[in-house]
Amino acid sequence: MIGAGAAEAKNFKIAVGDSAGSAQEATGKAFVAALEEKSGGEHTATLFLNGQLGSEEVTVNDAAMGTLDMSLLAINNITPYSPTVGVFSLPYVILSLEDAEALTQGPIGAELTENTIRDAGVRIVAWTYTGFRVLTNSKKPVTSVADLQGLVVRVPKNEIMIDTYKAWGINPTPMAWSETFTALQQQVVDGQDNPYLTVSAMKFYEVQKYITNIRYIFSIEPLIISESLFQDLSAEDQQMILDAGMEATKASAQFLRESEAAIRDDLIAKGMEISDPENGEEEFIKLATEAVWPKFYDSIGGVEKLNAVLETLGREPVQQ
């Protein structure tokens, strides 16, 4: 950051895990535009795409230490530092963009933001909505849990996601995001899961053939700011950051609504084949929720926290 205090112009550095064309970039651009508008051009920010400032996991720690201003990253990379946000990564909890908006922009999102400040020394100021993490692979169409067997699938270094695949009968390969494309290209791994927007932005169509429309996780990717930096700002600048973050959040939802279908069609045009899980994904859902949800009740703050989420979404609570 250049300068300190309310009187000096600032240019915040924002680490972005994904590349140009991604939902993360769209959120970042919307945040920069809103910040410039609200500050009358006094403050701005620069996006450093494609992990230029380090892996997503590393940037959380850098922001916590105050050596990085901001980072845009997948929420599963915050979970090791602040486990309660893992409730958003539990399989089949969020079933639509509207679910994601209701949770992140309401009391539950506010509580999880406070938890990340307490646990990780970073503050969530905006939310990116990237869509469901569809499964891609280079070997075969996958429509059932049986089809998954034998595939080597990359996952983030996130226990919830690792255990979900284990519930489906395979041992996934935890791997940093920055290493994933090369691993797919060299066939060290057969597949991975990420939203359509990310599959397109990262050009996975060059190294993957098949997509399965699983919807076990709706990808939420927050914009975080170093809490020590945030507290050094004037009250006016703090409010500008928060207001710009809210505008970026709403812009992200609009970006997803407007672009996902066209991106899916473009991936088909580029030669990818898309399949739906059989029987409405019933087997995937049953195995994942029965095995994974109970294992993480304690880390997310208790089963009552999951039930608060389900209640917000108008769904039945878990019975203990």
Side-chain angles (χ1 to χ4, degrees):
M1 189 185 76
I2 300 172
E8 297 183 23
K10 303 172 182 69
N11 182 0
F12 299 97
K13 285 186 175 180
I14 303 179
V16 182
D18 286 350
S19 62
S22 64
Q24 287 185 5
E25 185 200 37
T27 301
K29 283 183 171 181
F31 175 81
V32 174
L35 181 62
E36 290 176 347
E37 188 271 329
K38 293 178 184 303
S39 67
E42 182 180 5
H43 305 320
T44 188
T46 301
L47 305 180
F48 292 84
L49 300 173
N50 225 14
Q52 292 178 64
L53 300 185
S55 70
E56 290 192 353
E57 302 96 321
V58 166
T59 61
V60 181
N61 193 53
D62 289 348
M65 294 190 300
T67 58
L68 174 66
D69 298 336
M70 302 185 189
S71 179
L72 251 169
L73 71 169
I75 201 164
N76 50 268
N77 288 317
I78 298 177
T79 306
Y81 299 89
S82 187
T84 59
V85 300
V87 70
F88 287 166
S89 298
L90 287 177
Y92 301 104
V93 166
I94 297 175
L95 299 178
S96 68
L97 170 57
E98 291 71 29
D99 283 357
E101 290 178 292
L103 293 174
T104 54
Q105 297 179 40
I108 289 172
E111 179 184 346
L112 294 181
T113 294
E114 289 300 316
N115 290 352
T116 62
I117 295 169
R118 178 196 68 204
D119 299 337
V122 298
R123 176 184 294 260
I124 297 169
V125 297
W127 302 91
T128 304
Y129 308 113
T130 315
F132 289 110
R133 295 181 70 108
V134 297
L135 174 69
T136 73
N137 83 91
S138 60
K139 299 294 185 184
K140 59 183 179 180
V142 172
T143 61
S144 67
V145 171
D147 292 336
L148 266 182
Q149 309 314 304
L151 289 180
V152 181
V153 179
R154 174 268 174 187
V155 294
K157 297 173 182 177
N158 176 273
E159 292 301 319
I160 293 173
M161 299 171 79
I162 291 168
D163 283 349
T164 299
Y165 276 91
K166 286 182 177 178
W168 293 333
I170 67 172
N171 285 313
T173 301
M175 182 179 293
W177 180 229
S178 57
E179 301 169 8
T180 301
F181 185 92
T182 301
L184 293 169
Q185 187 176 45
Q186 297 177 351
Q187 298 187 336
V188 174
V189 294
D190 301 319
Q192 60 84 51
D193 65 60
N194 261 292
Y196 278 108
L197 275 64
T198 307
V199 171
S200 175
M202 300 304 292
K203 300 184 178 180
F204 283 158
Y205 51 82
E206 295 180 354
V207 292
Q208 301 278 268
K209 175 71 173 176
Y210 304 100
I211 294 177
T212 305
N213 282 323
I214 58 172
R215 54 192 176 98
Y216 82 116
I217 289 179
F218 186 97
S219 191
I220 296 176
E221 301 177 322
L223 171 62
I224 59 172
I225 185 171
S226 165
E227 181 63 11
S228 60
L229 166 61
F230 187 81
Q231 292 302 329
D232 284 342
L233 298 174
S234 68
E236 181 183 7
D237 283 354
Q238 288 180 351
Q239 195 59 50
M240 284 183 193
I241 293 284
L242 297 176
D243 290 346
M246 180 54 70
E247 287 198 17
T249 297
K250 294 186 181 302
S252 173
Q254 189 64 21
F255 179 78
L256 179 61
R257 288 188 171 98
E258 291 176 351
S259 61
E260 187 174 50
I263 285 173
R264 185 168 58 239
D265 291 343
D266 182 63
L267 291 173
I268 293 172
K270 285 182 165 65
M272 298 195 80
E273 297 180 10
I274 300 178
S275 302
D276 291 317
E278 61 186 24
N279 300 320
E281 213 167 334
E282 180 180 345
E283 186 181 14
F284 287 92
I285 294 169
K286 184 175 188 297
L287 291 170
T289 55
E290 290 181 358
V292 180
W293 283 11
K295 185 172 181 179
F296 291 92
Y297 290 158
D298 287 346
S299 68
I300 65 171
V303 67
E304 65 272 13
K305 296 296 185 182
L306 174 58
N307 281 339
V309 167
L310 295 174
E311 181 182 0
T312 298
L313 302 177
R315 290 163 58 190
E316 291 297 315
V318 173
Q319 300 298 327
Q320 287 281 77

